[in-house]
Structure formats: C-alpha cells, structure tokens
Amino acid sequence: LALSHGTNDAQKTMGVITLGLVASGRLSQFHVPVWVIVISAGAIASGTALGGWRLIRTLGGRIYKIRPVHGFASQLSGAVVILMAALVGGPVSTTQVMRSAIMGVGAAQRVNMVRWQVLGQMMLAWVLTIPATGLLSVAGYLAFTAIFPSM
C-alpha cells in the first residue's frame, strides 16, 4: 500500500512543483529534479506519520469496526487499485479508494454493520471541497493580480 500510495500521490505533488518551476522560468524543460523527489517523498511520509492516525481512526473505526482479516483484504485490494491506476497514469484519491475498500469488506460481512451516515458526511465534505478550492483559487488569483498587476 505504501508503494502504491507513493506512486500515486507523490507523482501528483512532484508534477505540480515541477510545473511551477517551469512556469516561473527556473527550469527550461519539464524534468523533475532530484530535490523535488526528495521533498515530495518527505512531505508524503511526514504527512502520513503525523496526520495519518486521524484518517486511520476514521476509516478503520467510524465507518466499520475493522478486524485484522478485514484490514488485510482492504489494504491488498486498495493497493492493487491504486497501483494499477498509477501504472496507467490515472490519478485516484488514496482516501477514496481505501474508504471504498473498507466499506466493501464491511458490507461483505453484513451491510447494516457499515455506518453509512459517516460515509454521507465524508461525501458531503468531498463535494464541498471541489467548489471551495475553486473559489479560493479565484480569490487568490484576483488578489495576486491586484497586488502585482504587471505579472
């Protein structure tokens, strides 16, 4: 799972940083420098180490009370899905894939053991995140162009 997580999420991070370097003129061509790889790997690792427990607690306890056999099945299926998506170049959300895998193992045992209201809360947050980030991007762009009109 860690390998597939790195091949998926770290690649997106490295692409965005390198795109910023090319757009700012610091790189003449799109080539990911080694330091960008190291920083991206460090950011993913530290984010997982520091903030991953909250996510694990939500996915592994609030949606469905996971046991080791369920954890193994969900980790294996999630890793395969994420790795396959990374191999074909399709970006996927690791959290979304793992949430689906955990709901799948829970529903396989008994559908009513899955806490579907938690899923509803997570879906609402996910749906609201996309337009909220778009609006923040617009606000940031307008503020930046107001402060630096010649750029």
Side-chain angles (χ1 to χ4, degrees):
L1 183 61
L3 171 70
S4 65
H5 181 65
T7 59
N8 181 54
D9 290 359
Q11 299 297 319
K12 292 183 278 188
T13 303
M14 289 186 285
V16 169
I17 292 170
T18 305
L19 180 63
L21 291 170
V22 171
S24 68
R26 295 209 162 100
L27 288 178
S28 59
Q29 62 181 350
F30 193 90
H31 171 73
V32 181
V34 174
W35 66 268
V36 171
I37 296 170
V38 171
I39 287 174
S40 298
I44 293 279
S46 61
T48 301
L50 297 174
W53 290 108
R54 181 173 174 220
L55 179 67
I56 291 167
R57 189 172 40 251
T58 299
L59 293 179
R62 287 191 58 213
I63 293 175
Y64 171 73
K65 188 64 177 167
I66 241 175
R67 293 186 324 209
V69 67
H70 302 120
F72 176 76
S74 63
Q75 294 276 316
L76 181 62
S77 63
V80 169
V81 168
I82 296 166
L83 190 57
M84 290 299 115
L87 289 174
V88 299
V92 295
S93 167
T94 302
T95 305
Q96 303 279 347
V97 170
M98 293 313 301
R99 177 179 64 201
S100 300
I102 291 169
M103 289 183 327
V105 297
Q109 183 174 4
R110 190 177 307 148
V111 175
N112 65 353
M113 292 183 75
V114 177
R115 294 183 188 101
W116 298 105
Q117 66 275 14
V118 174
L119 171 66
Q121 294 168 358
M122 293 172 88
M123 291 298 290
L124 178 64
W126 182 65
V127 168
L128 293 177
T129 301
I130 294 171
T133 54
L135 291 172
L136 284 173
S137 296
V138 169
Y141 174 78
L142 293 174
F144 185 81
T145 55
I147 295 169
F148 304 104
S150 62
M151 296 182 111

